[in-house]
Amino acid sequence: MNLTAVLHSGFGVSVLAGILVSDMTLRIAAFALGAVLFVAGIVVSRRGD
């Protein structure tokens, strides 16, 4: 698996965790982490071009 796929998979796991947790602070943190991982995946894929 390349780094872009790993980062985007981490995004999916983070968003899923954000949906499953009940505490609002943890939910926001999980969604924020997901956003960071998604953007990092895009940056890594663009850097490879």
Side-chain angles (χ1 to χ4, degrees), residues 9-44:
S9 297
F11 159 75
V13 169
S14 178
V15 169
L16 181 63
I19 291 170
L20 295 177
V21 297
S22 59
D23 184 40
M24 187 57 74
T25 304
L26 290 176
R27 182 173 289 178
I28 292 170
F31 287 149
L33 176 63
V36 168
L37 289 173
F38 188 77
V39 171
I42 292 172
V43 168
V44 167

Side-chain angles (χ1 to χ4, degrees), residues 1-10 41 44-45 47-48:
M1 258 176 128
N2 62 14
L3 184 57
T4 303
V6 170
L7 289 170
H8 282 119
S9 297
V44 167
S45 74
R47 190 187 66 187

